[in-house]
Amino acid sequence: MKLLKTIVLSATLAVFSLTLVTSPATLTHAAQAIKVTSITVKSPSKPLTPTQTFQLKPTVITSPKGNAKITYSSTNTKVATVNGSGLVTAVSPGKATIYVSSGDKKTSAAINVVTSDHKH
């Protein structure tokens, strides 16, 4: 009798698990990929001086709405670096472009670093 109850309980659990996994709502949601439709970012309004930081705040629009991974890179790390959170750090005088990418979209922010006595 115990063996029969165990088999019936196992079969019931297997059917319940199978129902959860193959639910159409779950499959539809999982198959819906987030697509980046646009990305924008603002450059600093004034030049930076060495050691000064500037937080990039990109605006990413996706379809359907959701969170998309954002990556950052600098064209000239001797002038300005950028970390994975979009924090730009001025290193030395010069110009650099920080590229901001998400999905197949890319934009950029112009970074101008000057010596502290030339800042306006």
Side-chain angles (χ1 to χ4, degrees), residues 80-120:
T81 60
V82 62
N83 70 13
S85 300
L87 183 66
V88 176
T89 302
V91 177
S92 63
K95 295 182 185 286
T97 300
I98 304 297
Y99 284 105
V100 184
S101 304
S102 187
D104 62 351
K105 304 295 180 188
K106 183 187 274 191
T107 190
S108 63
I111 306 297
N112 185 19
V113 180
V114 297
T115 58
S116 56
D117 57 333
H118 287 98
K119 189 175 180 188
H120 299 285

Side-chain angles (χ1 to χ4, degrees), residues 51-69:
T51 72
Q52 190 175 11
T53 60
F54 179 80
Q55 180 64 56
L56 295 172
K57 297 175 185 170
T59 300
V60 179
I61 298 174
T62 62
S63 177
K65 262 187 166 177
N67 294 325
K69 181 181 176 186

Side-chain angles (χ1 to χ4, degrees), residues 57-80:
K57 297 175 185 170
T59 300
V60 179
I61 298 174
T62 62
S63 177
K65 262 187 166 177
N67 294 325
K69 181 181 176 186
I70 301 170
T71 58
Y72 303 90
S73 62
S74 174
T75 60
N76 191 345
T77 56
K78 291 179 181 178
V79 172

Side-chain angles (χ1 to χ4, degrees), residues 11-36:
T12 302
L13 287 174
V15 169
F16 180 73
S17 296
L18 184 60
T19 302
L20 287 177
V21 171
T22 60
S23 167
T26 303
L27 291 176
T28 302
H29 180 68
Q32 216 171 15
I34 293 174
K35 179 171 175 45
V36 175

